[in-house]
Amino acid sequence: MSEPNDPELDELEGRLSRAFAGTRPRRGFEDELWARLERRGSAGRRWPWRRLAPWPAAGALAAVLVIGLVAVLALPQLTAGHPASGSPKTQSGSGVSQPARGQAGTAGAARPNQLPEAAAGSFGQLPSPALAGDPGSPGTATSTGAPVPYFGPARLTVTAQLPATPDTLSVYRYPQPTAADMDAFAARLGASRAGVAGTPTVYRSADFRLDLAPASAFVEPRFTVSGIAGGATGSDAQAVADQFLSAHGLTPSWPAGAHSADGPEGRTVLYQRQFPIAGASPAGEVDQFGAAAGLEVVVAAGAVTRVRGPLPLSLESSAYRSRGSQQAARDAVTAPPGAGNGGSGVPQVVLNRAVLAYMAVGDGDHGYYLPVYLFSGTFSSGGVTMEKRVVVPALDASQHR
Amino acid sequence: MGFVYVGLRLRPVPAEKPAFEDLYRGYIDRIYAYVRSQLGNAADAEDVTAQVFMKAYQAYGRYEPRHQTPSAWLFKIARNAALDQHRQAGRQERLRQAAAREPASEVAPDILAEERLIYRELMEAVSRLPDRQREAIGLRQSGLSFLEVGGLMSCSEDAAKMLYHRGLRSLRGLLPPEASQSPEAPA
């Protein structure tokens, strides 16, 4: 398309075409962005604290001191456990209540799905779980008017009652699926690569498209069924979802709690994965944004339009020493990205909720489901209710790299 | 099947809306490459690409495929987002920051691994072109027809061609002699 008789421009144009065709976002970006979109995106606008100038050294020092002071002042207010239920409170000297750490040494009994139990801590030091929200940017709004997740800097205090946690917690490990594993999973659903050009993780059947995604840093290997033709229909979204999953052999083999909510593409039924905790309520899986995770089924106009969930994985488990609630609360206050430059635009947030949860973390040839404390608290900015989320590993710091 | 006017021509377009995920996965690489060519660095390109699809996701309910091809619709959003980015930061300041933040020897390994060096050099050269030439090169190389490029840039098809060719000549002048004349480096 360049001017005639100018081979040099022709050559340049050819190189440009190859450059555009060969320029791709980094690996994992597509799935990360899609995950954000799925959490519902209104976050096109930027937030004031995103564009703040780099810290001057003195400002940074002052901010660190402020954080430390806030942490020290906040600690006496920290509470843990459930006083109403008579959980023992200790460590009055520090002003921090200690939750019941019952069932000490019983973590070996926490065996979801009769998993084989390896020796305690047998996986070695583990990667550290963390939220993958873009530091300094907002999360994405939900369509239901729920608070907008926020991952930027904030001044934090903790008033949450931490859940009772055993002395040890189970860690679950899985090997990354091979291409043969993915082919086998697709074949089980009646899908194949026949007639599919290009991306080796796309499969098709007569009734749907199947995308298989290998694990990334914060997402376990997942499948997505879309472009669905036919299937169950009905007015009860969960019943339709249940029927579709059963018909295709996709009903979760792991414990799950189902709930549903309206979204832009229809009603989403989420089967949140549950991990048993010895002597306590199960802990739900959360994703890299701190939102409930598991298997999602989107139902629109009475029919299933998309299914997304973790690939079946072979799990083994091992018990690791847990982190004390006092330490977890301290770590929440100082969790990155901290208080930014300490300017007036940085919100002050009281983290008044804390739950024990599990997060998927990829690490080379293996991935893990790791226990975490998920702290949260809301604040208002420009008339919008936002939710600050902080994740702190629930295992003792020595167990992580 | 419906039809949409593109300039004076009727062009058939599918009347059915594709699933947004199909649109997303089908276009994310092209949108990213376009934005990358307009902004000159990978970090900003990711940021703006995310904004593009956030906006598209929000507006998808109002998108009417009978009136606009998905390509024209998405690239209109992308063009506006890239222009907004230029306006916000100031182009020269942004380039200065990009140069300071992303020196050749300190680019994140995962980004480097995804971009061949020769591509990166070309894309950054495109980002330094005059605004209109840069847009014409970016949109055309993203697969849009000159008619569509002109439509997005509010000019005629011929004017879009002219901007594109001027852009090619300017680009040749921006590239170092060895880069503009040597054959492409192997991957």
Side-chain angles (χ1 to χ4, degrees), chain B residues 14 19-20 32 35 49 56 92 97 107 109 118 128-129 160 171-173 184:
Chain B
F20 185 81
Y32 173 83
V35 173
T49 299
Q92 293 306 317
Q97 290 174 350
V107 178
I118 189 72
R128 296 197 300 272
L129 289 172
L171 186 61
R172 179 171 55 182
E184 185 174 329

Side-chain angles (χ1 to χ4, degrees), chain B residues 158-174:
Chain B
D158 287 342
K161 283 182 184 173
M162 190 174 66
L163 283 167
Y164 177 77
H165 291 305
R166 283 183 182 168
L168 281 182
R169 285 194 296 271
S170 301
L171 186 61
R172 179 171 55 182
L174 286 175

Side-chain angles (χ1 to χ4, degrees), chain A residues 1-3 8 13 15 17-18 24 26-27 30 33-34 37 40-42 46 140 264 306, chain B residues 21 24-25 29 32 46-47 51 54 57-58 85 88 114 141 146 164-165 169 172 179 184:
Chain A
M1 194 47 72
S2 61
E3 290 169 314
E8 194 180 332
E13 189 176 32
R15 287 172 48 217
S17 296
R18 291 191 292 276
R24 296 283 181 270
R26 64 176 164 76
R27 189 171 294 115
E30 179 179 339
L33 178 55
W34 180 250
L37 286 166
R40 256 319 352 270
S42 70
R46 293 177 180 280
T140 56
R306 185 163 53 79
Chain B
E21 183 170 4
Y24 170 79
R25 299 206 182 272
D29 288 345
Y32 173 83
E46 278 195 6
D47 201 4
Q51 289 180 39
M54 290 289 184
Y57 193 59
Q58 280 186 305
Q85 174 75 358
Q88 280 180 11
E114 300 296 328
Q141 286 293 340
F146 281 119
Y164 177 77
H165 291 305
R169 285 194 296 271
R172 179 171 55 182
E184 185 174 329

Side-chain angles (χ1 to χ4, degrees), chain A residues 285-307:
Chain A
E285 183 185 357
V286 296
D287 65 11
Q288 69 270 43
F289 306 105
L295 189 151
E296 292 179 348
V297 182
V298 178
V299 179
V304 173
T305 58
R306 185 163 53 79
V307 181

Side-chain angles (χ1 to χ4, degrees), chain A residues 1-3 6 8-46 50-51 134 137 139-140 209 211 224-227 263-265 305-306 308, chain B residues 19-22 24-25 28-30 32-34 36-37 44-51 53-55 57-58 85 88 110-111 113-116 118-119 122-123 126 137-142 146 161 164-165 168-169 171-172 175 179-184:
Chain A
M1 194 47 72
S2 61
E3 290 169 314
D6 193 338
E8 194 180 332
L9 280 188
D10 283 342
E11 193 273 335
L12 175 59
E13 189 176 32
R15 287 172 48 217
L16 259 183
S17 296
R18 291 191 292 276
F20 272 77
T23 296
R24 296 283 181 270
R26 64 176 164 76
R27 189 171 294 115
F29 174 72
E30 179 179 339
D31 285 335
E32 288 169 18
L33 178 55
W34 180 250
R36 289 182 65 189
L37 286 166
E38 286 193 308
R39 302 281 164 249
R40 256 319 352 270
S42 70
R45 60 181 168 143
R46 293 177 180 280
R50 177 79 197 277
R51 291 296 180 190
D134 183 8
S137 71
T140 56
R209 166 182 163 150
D211 288 76
T224 302
V225 176
S226 60
E265 295 185 72
T305 58
R306 185 163 53 79
R308 185 179 174 90
Chain B
F20 185 81
E21 183 170 4
D22 289 345
Y24 170 79
R25 299 206 182 272
I28 185 170
D29 288 345
R30 285 172 61 190
Y32 173 83
Y34 167 73
R36 177 78 171 80
S37 75
D44 280 356
E46 278 195 6
D47 201 4
V48 171
T49 299
Q51 289 180 39
F53 282 102
M54 290 289 184
K55 288 174 180 170
Y57 193 59
Q58 280 186 305
Q85 174 75 358
Q88 280 180 11
D110 57 342
I111 293 176
E114 300 296 328
E115 290 190 3
R116 297 166 66 177
I118 189 72
Y119 293 168
L122 266 175
M123 291 303 215
V126 171
I137 293 269
L139 292 169
R140 174 62 178 166
Q141 286 293 340
S142 296
F146 281 119
K161 283 182 184 173
Y164 177 77
H165 291 305
L168 281 182
R169 285 194 296 271
L171 186 61
R172 179 171 55 182
L175 294 172
S180 63
Q181 292 170 10
S182 62
E184 185 174 329

Side-chain angles (χ1 to χ4, degrees), chain A residues 140-159:
Chain A
T140 56
T142 66
S143 59
T144 56
V148 178
Y150 170 74
F151 303 102
R155 291 195 186 90
L156 301 173
T157 55
V158 175
T159 62

Side-chain angles (χ1 to χ4, degrees), chain A residues 191-241:
Chain A
S192 74
R193 299 256 319 126
V196 181
T199 315
T201 54
V202 178
Y203 300 75
R204 286 197 183 278
S205 80
D207 299 326
F208 56 80
R209 166 182 163 150
L210 174 66
D211 288 76
L212 301 183
S216 59
F218 301 107
V219 181
E220 69 259 75
R222 296 180 79 80
F223 70 87
T224 302
V225 176
S226 60
I228 298 165
T233 60
S235 57
D236 182 335
Q238 184 162 343
V240 170

